[in-house]
């Protein structure tokens, strides 16, 4: 019976480690989705001079849709994009390193002329690409290590309980 309890403890810790590692992967996927959106925003603002409301209405991305990020931006008239952007960011599982850059962009969203807005977007894209690069470096190994660490922690707890 004690062996079964130990096995269940190790399994629970292993599954928790898998969940933590999946959260790291989700954060990287959310960052990729935001970079895609920002690149599209920049292109449409600089080349077509479209308004934000039209861009958000036309843009589609499965991940941003599933978390409710784009639907939140679409359902309002667009006068308060900074507040909407902030609320929409809270719905995404973004890495903490990316949030300050996205929040800084959101505070000026829709309040600057086209040229200044595209410069702000370019700066944000550059900064987020740096964050993305640092997260991708060793991301697989980090996820593997996370699962192994949680599994070993479960083994330690199981041994202490036996």
């Amino acid at each position: 019976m004690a062996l079964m309890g130990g096995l269940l403890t190790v399994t629970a810790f292993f599954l928790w480690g898998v969940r933590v590692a999946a959260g790291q992967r989700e954060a990287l996927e959310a960052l990729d989705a935001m970079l895609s959106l920002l690149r599209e925003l920049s292109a449409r603002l600089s080349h077509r001079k479209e308004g934000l409301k039209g861009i958000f209405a036309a843009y589609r991305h499965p991940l941003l849709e599933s978390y409710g990020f784009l639907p939140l931006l679409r359902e309002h008239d667009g006068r308060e994009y900074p507040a909407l952007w902030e609320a929409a960011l809270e719905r995404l599982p973004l890495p903490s390193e990316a949030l300050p850059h996205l929040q800084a962009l959101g505070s000026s969203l829709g309040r600057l002329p086209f040229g200044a807005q595209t410069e702000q977007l370019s700066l944000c894209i550059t900064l987020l690409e740096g964050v993305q690069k640092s997260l991708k470096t060793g991301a697989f190994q980090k996820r593997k290590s996370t699962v192994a660490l949680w599994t070993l922690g479960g083994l330690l707890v199981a041994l202490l309980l036996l």
Side-chain angles (χ1 to χ4, degrees):
M1 193 61 138
L3 184 61
M4 187 62 138
L7 184 61
L8 286 175
T9 301
V10 172
T11 303
F13 272 74
F14 167 78
L15 292 175
W16 186 257
V18 168
R19 175 65 189 124
V20 170
Q24 294 168 351
R25 190 188 76 243
E26 287 172 0
L28 197 52
E29 289 173 353
L31 182 59
D32 290 341
M34 284 303 295
L35 277 167
S36 175
L37 170 65
L38 295 179
R39 288 182 186 113
E40 184 71 17
L41 271 173
S42 181
R44 288 190 181 192
L45 284 174
S46 61
H47 300 299
R48 300 182 198 159
K49 306 263 190 262
E50 289 182 48
L52 290 173
K53 185 172 182 157
I55 296 170
F56 289 135
Y59 187 76
R60 300 283 184 262
H61 192 286
L63 189 122
L64 297 178
E65 300 282 347
S66 68
Y67 281 105
F69 180 85
L70 287 173
L72 181 64
L73 293 175
R74 283 189 202 117
E75 68 188 28
H76 291 81
D77 64 1
R79 286 184 222 146
E80 285 300 317
Y81 275 124
L84 288 172
W85 185 264
E86 187 70 32
L89 282 178
E90 291 175 6
R91 295 178 175 209
L92 295 174
L94 290 163
S96 59
E97 300 93 337
L99 284 175
H101 308 303
L102 288 166
Q103 290 166 338
L105 172 69
S107 66
S108 67
L109 199 62
R111 296 184 177 198
L112 297 174
F114 282 116
Q117 190 74 74
T118 55
E119 287 175 13
Q120 186 87 2
L121 281 164
S122 295
L123 175 63
C124 187
I125 289 169
T126 303
L127 292 171
L128 289 178
E129 285 172 342
V131 170
Q132 180 187 40
K133 184 178 178 183
S134 69
L135 288 176
K136 280 187 176 180
T137 304
F140 177 73
Q141 186 61 38
K142 185 176 178 181
R143 287 193 300 266
K144 223 167 96 172
S145 297
T146 300
V147 172
L149 184 64
W150 277 97
T151 304
L152 288 174
L155 184 61
L156 179 64
V157 169
L159 288 173
L160 290 174
L161 293 175
L162 294 179

